[in-house]
Each structure stands twice: as C-alpha cells, then as structure tokens.
Amino acid sequence: MSNTFCGVPVRRMGILLFDGVKTLDFVGPAEVFVEANQRVAGYEVVLLSVDGQPVQTSIGARVEVSAAAAEAGRFDTVIVPGSEQPPAKFVTPELLAAARHLSFHTRRLTSICSGAVVLAQLGLLDGRRVTTHWKFAADLTRRFPAIKVDADAIFVRDGNLYSSAGVAAGIDLALALVEEDHGADVARQVAQLLVVYMQRAGGQSQFSASLAGPAPRSPLVRKVVDVICADPAFPHTVQTLAAHAQVSIRHLTRLFRAELERSPAEYVAFIRFGVARDMLHAGYGVTEAAIASGYGTSEALRRAFIARLGISPRKYQQRFRSTGVPAVPEPMEAVS
C-alpha cells in the first residue's frame, strides 16, 4: 500500500519487532529507507509489535512502536527481523499470528536472519529458495526440509519473498529493495550516504576473503595474516613476512601450509584477489581496484581474473553492477 507526498508514491515499510529482536537487523534496513528519503520521497517506516506495546531489543534498549500488527493497515513491504535467542524462545504463537496477518496485507514479505524461522513455521517458505545467517542455516534446513536453503548467499529473492543473512546483510537487502523501487543510481547514492558498499550482490558469499578457509591457530600466523590484510597493496614477500614474524622462511612457510593450507605467497595473492573483487563489487574502476589491492596495473588484475574465473574484471563487474535484484515494474498496491 502507498500514500503520496507531493504526488510521489510513498511506500509503507512495516517492521515487526518483538522482545529480544536483533537491533541491527531492523535498524540497518530502516536507516536505508530513511536515508533514501533524502533522494526520493519514497518510504514511510512503520515499527510494529504484536500488541502495539514497546519492545526490548537485543542491546536492552526499549523501542516504542507505531501500532499493533493487526491494526496497522496495508503495506508495500513487511520485514521480519531475527534474534540471537533460540527460535523456541522468540517465535511465540502471538508473533506467528502477527506475521501471518501481515503476510496477507503486503506486496513484499522479507525476513532478516533468523526471522526466516517465523515465515518457515507459517509454511510461507515451502518450495522457496531462502537464506539466513550461516549459523542458523543447518537448523533451518533440518527443521523445514521443504525449503531450499542457500546457506552462503547474502540475500535471496524468490518471487515476492525476500530473505537475508542478517546483521549487515539486512542493509544489502534493503539497498536491493531501494534499487528495485527507484533504480541503481538512487541505491548507490544511499549507499554512499551511509558509507557502505553498494554492490554486494545477493549471490555474493557471506564470507569475506580473510574469513574464508581455515583460520590461523597460532598467534604468530595471526600476526602475519593481520599484516597482510591491513595493507594488501604492500609488496609483501615471504622474506619480509618472515622478518616481521622473526622466524625463518622455512618455518613460516611450514606454519602457513599447516594452518591456512597455502604458502605465504599464495595467501597474499588470495587476499589481494578478494580485495580487488570486493572493490569491483563496490563500483570502483578496474585500475583503482588493481592499484589498491596490490596488483599494480589493470593488466595484472585482468590476468588474475582470467586465471581464476575465466573472465576479465570488467566483464565480472558488469555482472554485478547492481545489487543483484532485477528491477521489475510491479504495482504499488499490496496483494492479498
């Protein structure tokens, strides 16, 4: 459902809160929509609860809401955030009833993090592809075998149902919704205002390069990894890294292979490639990404991309030049 402001449609974005709700799960997306209003008169954010009473968030803050879910009217989009509490505690019959009511009074239905469990228990995700925070994915798969859980995606769209991995990924999904509503330029401007990446596409992994693969087990390897990640463009060599760690090249190489399954040189290349890829996602040019990540030239980065992915960085960037949710001319009216 939409109202108008100076003749411009305003989309009502309902966010269903409850005691123990993860604060960033709802604050992040809400700020995206509020920030978007600096560029377009696009959104009215409406905080809801089961009974219209204030809720206490994960950080202990008391949050006032605008209305009870059953009395709030119709929405363009409804968002159900998650919680760090186990679903058995926060997914109450009252919350399920409120979410069910809202699902009949919105055009788009969205879950953040373990909010997917609420929609799953209502049967709304059966046969659908969804995602959630990686630590909840296995349990969601086990409990609801009719759901196609993508445990690695940042966010997923399946028809009018949207889901995200939660926490910061909720911001990525909100930016995707803004792009769907108002185009990539507006979404990019909002991302710039919030000083966040614009182009973490939905299919991008939940794990950054430095988090992928085995984690360092020893303080010495962690120390060297931190040096690499802090300045990937520095001309790191196994000699400089061993000198920093005050160990022999042979010893450092042995530790890296044992803990990270890569040599020091391979790990530097791995991190540099991840940084370059993320910069391309964020909209930087190929040359900028090459210099900042340590490749030095666009040709060196091009060779690395072709070797790893079989395509050039420019073609790769073209595939991910938006948030990954296609713009579709859907009507503003809510559907029942």
Side-chain angles (χ1 to χ4, degrees):
M1 181 178 181
S2 64
N3 301 313
T4 60
F5 177 77
C6 296
V8 178
V10 176
R11 300 170 187 265
R12 299 188 76 219
M13 314 296 281
I15 306 178
L16 180 58
L17 306 185
F18 50 86
D19 286 336
V21 63
K22 183 79 172 178
T23 306
L24 191 54
D25 277 4
F26 76 90
V27 170
E31 288 290 355
V32 169
F33 302 129
V34 170
E35 204 73 33
N37 287 337
Q38 293 193 35
R39 292 292 178 264
V40 291
Y43 300 101
E44 176 192 2
V45 176
V46 183
L47 300 182
L48 310 167
S49 68
V50 168
D51 54 8
Q53 296 301 307
V55 302
Q56 187 169 354
T57 73
S58 58
I59 63 173
R62 177 183 170 90
V63 175
E64 300 284 342
V65 301
S66 299
E71 301 170 357
R74 303 182 73 84
F75 292 91
D76 177 80
T77 305
V78 165
I79 297 173
V80 181
S83 175
E84 287 295 334
Q85 298 176 347
K89 182 173 182 178
F90 83 86
V91 184
T92 64
E94 294 78 14
L95 181 62
L96 289 171
R100 182 183 296 279
H101 173 84
L102 291 169
S103 73
F104 292 125
H105 294 82
T106 187
R107 180 174 70 88
R108 297 184 296 205
L109 187 59
T110 298
S111 67
I112 308 290
C113 194
S114 59
V117 177
V118 177
L119 305 187
Q121 287 196 206
L122 293 173
L124 298 174
L125 303 183
D126 289 355
R128 302 293 193 109
R129 177 172 167 261
V130 303
T131 192
T132 187
H133 192 286
W134 58 267
K135 68 181 179 181
F136 298 118
D139 185 62
L140 189 67
T141 300
R142 178 184 59 81
R143 294 179 58 195
F144 305 99
I147 299 174
K148 304 170 185 177
V149 180
D150 187 337
D152 192 36
I154 289 178
F155 62 84
V156 167
R157 175 188 177 182
D158 189 333
N160 70 331
L161 286 172
Y162 301 69
S163 54
S164 93
V167 199
I171 295 175
D172 295 293
L173 176 53
L175 286 168
L177 295 177
V178 171
E179 179 180 353
E180 184 178 302
D181 296 340
H182 300 288
D185 287 344
V186 172
R188 189 171 293 108
Q189 291 168 15
V190 173
Q192 291 170 345
L193 288 170
L194 293 172
V195 198
V196 297
Y197 282 134
M198 158 61 181
Q199 295 175 327
R200 289 211 307 176
Q204 190 174 340
S205 173
Q206 292 186 30
F207 304 98
S208 67
S210 61
L211 295 178
R217 297 193 298 271
S218 67
L220 188 150
V221 173
R222 164 53 64 191
K223 179 181 179 180
V224 176
V225 164
D226 287 345
V227 168
I228 296 169
C229 293
D231 189 4
F234 185 83
H236 299 291
T237 66
V238 64
Q239 290 85 358
T240 62
L241 295 173
H244 180 80
Q246 297 182 324
V247 296
S248 69
I249 293 174
R250 182 177 180 180
H251 184 57
L252 182 66
T253 300
R254 182 182 63 79
L255 288 176
F256 260 67
R257 290 198 180 279
E259 297 186 26
L260 302 180
E261 301 175 0
R262 293 177 171 88
S263 70
E266 289 169 340
Y267 190 81
V268 171
F270 171 69
I271 293 298
R272 284 176 176 167
F273 186 82
V275 170
R277 182 194 59 213
D278 288 348
M279 290 187 69
L280 293 176
H281 276 294
Y284 289 93
V286 175
T287 300
E288 291 177 289
I291 293 173
S293 60
Y295 284 93
T297 67
S298 59
E299 176 58 24
L301 182 59
R302 188 186 71 83
R303 289 197 300 267
F305 262 74
I306 290 176
R308 288 175 179 261
L309 302 179
I311 60 173
S312 70
R314 196 170 303 282
K315 288 184 177 179
Y316 178 85
Q317 189 175 45
Q318 288 172 352
R319 295 184 181 183
F320 293 98
R321 66 172 54 204
S322 70
T323 53
V325 173
V328 290
E330 295 182 274
M332 288 289 293
E333 292 79 10
V335 295
S336 59

